[in-house]
Amino acid sequence: SQTKATRTIQKNQTKTRLTKPHNAMSASLRDKYNSLPTPDTPYTPQDLELLYNILKHAETVYLHDHQQDPSLEFNLIRILSSYTLILQQNNIHPSQDTKYYRFLLKL
């Protein structure tokens, strides 16, 4: 059974079009992703809820900014800005995290 956060993340992945990074950037992100440790445990419902909050915040900010400037794109930089904010709001220091960061790079 899927949690609400899991279903919403999957729905938002198809609803919001992420821009494809340049090939050189793709290799760089792939190298960064591969260098991160694999999570020791599966994602918990709380982990998925936090990831949902990161993506929802990024989408909300993007939609607001996009109204002001339609040329803006929804990209990894926007997601990582929300990642930093949401982790800090949950008393998690981004420099101590690899689990959520790795997940977001995989998107």
Side-chain angles (χ1 to χ4, degrees):
S1 120
Q2 291 180 325
T3 66
K4 178 183 174 191
T6 304
R7 286 190 306 272
T8 305
I9 286 171
Q10 290 171 344
K11 179 180 165 189
N12 285 343
Q13 285 175 345
T14 58
K15 183 174 112 178
T16 304
R17 185 179 157 270
L18 293 174
T19 58
K20 289 225 176 235
H22 184 271
N23 285 341
M25 183 61 123
S26 291
S28 173
L29 287 176
R30 187 173 38 255
D31 291 344
K32 180 69 174 172
Y33 173 81
N34 289 332
S35 73
L36 296 169
T38 304
D40 295 334
T41 59
Y43 290 98
T44 66
Q46 294 81 10
D47 291 333
L48 296 176
E49 188 69 30
L50 191 129
L51 288 164
Y52 167 80
N53 289 336
I54 292 168
L55 295 173
K56 187 63 179 171
H57 181 270
E59 180 183 47
T60 301
V61 170
Y62 164 73
L63 291 173
H64 175 267
D65 292 349
H66 187 53
Q67 287 179 343
Q68 307 300 317
D69 182 356
S71 69
L72 294 176
E73 297 177 339
F74 188 78
N75 55 29
L76 184 60
I77 293 169
R78 289 184 176 280
I79 294 172
L80 293 178
S81 293
S82 293
Y83 158 82
T84 300
L85 177 71
I86 299 299
L87 258 58
Q88 289 172 343
Q89 289 176 350
N90 285 273
N91 298 316
I92 302 169
H93 198 282
S95 67
Q96 301 299 314
D97 169 65
T98 57
K99 187 175 190 176
Y100 304 118
Y101 187 71
R102 183 178 171 86
F103 178 92
L104 294 171
L105 287 181
K106 184 119 177 150
L107 289 177

